[in-house]
């Protein structure tokens, strides 16, 4: 029996087996499908991963927002208004300084020989002896050294360094002294009372003519001011108790012209104080020598 002949496999135009080719195509298609599936799976995984990262970022941002809350400062609480003090705790108002000064003005200090009233302070001109009232009292006591019992208000004001007796400070001081009974004022002149005289303890009595002359020089220089810068020389010459012709005295004291303002001012003050003899010759009277005239000098008393 002859062998059965199998039909030859079909081939395409290139001589390639058609079945083999179809088998290879199927395998290639399956391989591509697998790759496409794997690619899709990778994309899905990638998408899931990105979504997870976005969720993590949102969580981190939410945490950061919560952290910012730590810096938040609450609004300050309103303070309660202080309670009004009770009547028991309320302080009494302070008394005025003027009332206190008025009380201390009449305060008396016990000293040997009785009580002494202190003069009030009113402020005013600058001075070396204290307040204006004290300076006025001290000046009046010094003038009594030469038997001068009263002084013009112009001179009294100069003791307190007031150049004008009508200034507000000078008038206040004079008024205070008068009201306190320290002085008596009449016809533009002031004199000490016994109370005012006893209130001054800083002016000791002079013990010799040198001290008396020094005190007189102080008074004359104060009253003349800057007009007489040579008043000390004039009083030194007249302090010997001798008589001088006007020209001779002026020449000794350095005044070439006896009609100069400085020379005339000193002589005018001495005459106003009643210490210069009213004669052609210039000579101090006995009032200017409370400790006695120098020996060998003539008395100028009439």
């Amino acid at each position: 029996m002859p062998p059965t002949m199998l039909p030859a496999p079909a081939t395409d135009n290139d001589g390639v087996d058609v079945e083999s080719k179809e088998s290879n195509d199927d395998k290639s298609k399956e391989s591509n499908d697998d790759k496409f599936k794997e690619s899709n799976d990778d994309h899905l995984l990638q998408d899931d991963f990105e979504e997870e990262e976005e969720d993590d970022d949102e969580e981190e941002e939410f945490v950061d927002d919560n952290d910012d809350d730590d810096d938040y400062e609450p609004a300050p609480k309103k303070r309660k208004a202080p309670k009004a003090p009770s009547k028991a705790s309320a302080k009494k108002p302070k008394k005025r300084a003027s009332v206190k000064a008025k009380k201390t003005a009449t305060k008396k200090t016990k000293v040997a020989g009785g009580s002494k009233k202190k003069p009030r302070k009113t402020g005013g001109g600058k001075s070396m002896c204290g307040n204006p009232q004290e300076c006025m009292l001290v000046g009046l006591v010094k003038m009594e050294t030469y038997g001068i019992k009263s002084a013009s208000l112009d001179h009294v004001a100069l003791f307190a360094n007031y150049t004008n007796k009508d200034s507000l400070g000078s008038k206040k001081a004079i008024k205070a002294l008068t009201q306190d009974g320290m002085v008596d004022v009449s016809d533009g002149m002031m004199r000490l009372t016994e109370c005012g005289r006893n209130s001054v303890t800083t002016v000791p009595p002079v013990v010799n003519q040198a001290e008396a002359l020094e005190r007189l020089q102080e008074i004359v220089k104060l009253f003349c001011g800057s007009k007489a810068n040579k008043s000390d020389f004039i009083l030194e010459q007249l302090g010997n108790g001798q008589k001088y012709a006007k020209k001779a005295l002026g020449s000794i004291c350095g005044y070439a012209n006896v009609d100069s303002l400085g020379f005339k001012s000193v002589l005018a003050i001495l005459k106003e104080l009643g210490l210069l003899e009213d004669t052609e010759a210039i000579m101090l009277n006995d009032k200017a020598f409370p400790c006695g005239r120098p020996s060998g000098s003539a008395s100028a008393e009439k």
Side-chain angles (χ1 to χ4, degrees):
M1 185 174 183
T4 303
M5 296 295 289
L6 295 173
T11 59
D12 58 0
N13 294 333
D14 295 334
V16 180
D17 190 358
V18 175
E19 292 180 358
S20 176
K21 184 178 179 180
E22 289 178 355
S23 176
N24 290 335
D25 292 338
D26 294 336
K27 291 180 179 180
S28 176
K29 186 178 181 180
E30 290 177 359
S31 176
N32 291 336
D33 293 338
D34 294 336
K35 290 180 179 181
F36 178 76
K37 185 177 181 182
E38 291 177 358
S39 177
N40 288 338
D41 294 337
D42 292 338
H43 284 296
L44 292 174
L45 292 173
Q46 183 67 22
D47 293 338
D48 294 337
F49 179 75
E50 290 177 354
E51 288 179 358
E52 290 178 358
E53 286 184 343
E54 289 178 358
D55 294 338
D56 293 338
D57 291 340
E58 290 178 357
E59 291 178 359
E60 290 177 358
E61 290 177 359
F62 179 77
V63 172
D64 292 339
D65 292 339
N66 291 337
D67 291 339
D68 292 338
D69 292 340
D70 295 337
D71 297 334
Y72 172 75
E73 295 182 1
K77 296 181 179 179
K78 294 184 179 179
R79 297 182 179 179
K80 295 182 179 180
K83 295 181 179 179
S86 60
K87 294 183 179 180
S89 62
K91 295 183 179 180
K92 296 182 179 179
K94 295 183 178 180
K95 296 182 179 179
R96 293 183 179 179
S98 59
V99 177
K100 185 177 180 181
K102 187 174 181 180
K103 290 183 177 180
T104 56
T106 56
K107 184 178 179 180
K108 293 185 178 181
T109 310
K110 291 184 178 180
V111 295
S115 63
K116 183 176 62 175
K117 193 175 181 181
K118 291 186 177 181
R120 287 185 290 174
K121 296 181 180 181
T122 60
K126 296 179 180 179
S127 54
M128 298 180 63
C129 59
N131 65 74
Q133 290 90 323
E134 290 178 358
C135 292
M136 291 178 179
L137 294 175
V138 168
L140 291 172
V141 170
K142 288 182 177 180
M143 292 184 70
E144 285 189 347
T145 302
Y146 310 98
I148 305 172
K149 299 298 183 181
S150 62
S152 67
L153 295 181
D154 290 321
H155 290 164
V156 172
L158 288 173
F159 283 129
N161 203 29
Y162 291 109
T163 56
N164 183 5
K165 66 179 178 61
D166 293 324
S167 65
L168 181 61
S170 177
K171 293 173 73 172
K172 282 184 176 180
I174 294 172
K175 183 178 179 181
L177 289 174
T178 305
Q179 290 178 344
D180 291 344
M182 300 290 185
V183 298
D184 289 328
V185 179
S186 62
D187 299 330
M189 303 295 289
M190 179 184 289
R191 66 171 53 238
L192 286 169
T193 62
E194 192 65 26
C195 179
R197 188 177 294 108
N198 292 336
S199 68
V200 179
T201 59
T202 58
V203 183
V206 295
V207 296
N208 53 52
Q209 186 54 33
E211 291 183 0
L213 180 61
E214 183 179 354
R215 184 172 295 181
L216 182 58
Q217 288 175 333
E218 178 187 352
I219 294 173
V220 172
K221 186 181 295 185
L222 177 64
F223 291 167
C224 290
S226 59
K227 298 176 183 178
N229 54 0
K230 297 180 181 179
S231 59
D232 290 349
F233 297 108
I234 297 174
L235 288 173
E236 284 178 4
Q237 292 299 318
L238 296 177
N240 58 20
Q242 300 296 325
K243 293 182 181 181
Y244 288 91
K246 185 180 290 186
K247 288 186 178 180
L249 181 62
S251 179
I252 294 172
C253 297
Y255 288 99
N257 183 7
V258 292
D259 291 328
S260 65
L261 181 61
F263 188 75
K264 292 174 67 174
S265 296
V266 176
L267 298 182
I269 290 297
L270 290 173
K271 189 173 183 179
E272 185 178 352
L273 295 177
L275 302 178
L276 195 64
E277 189 64 24
D278 189 14
T279 61
E280 288 294 330
I282 300 174
M283 181 176 63
L284 294 176
N285 58 30
D286 290 346
K287 290 181 180 179
F289 302 98
C291 297
R293 295 184 71 90
S295 59
S297 62
S299 175
E301 292 287 349
K302 293 183 179 179

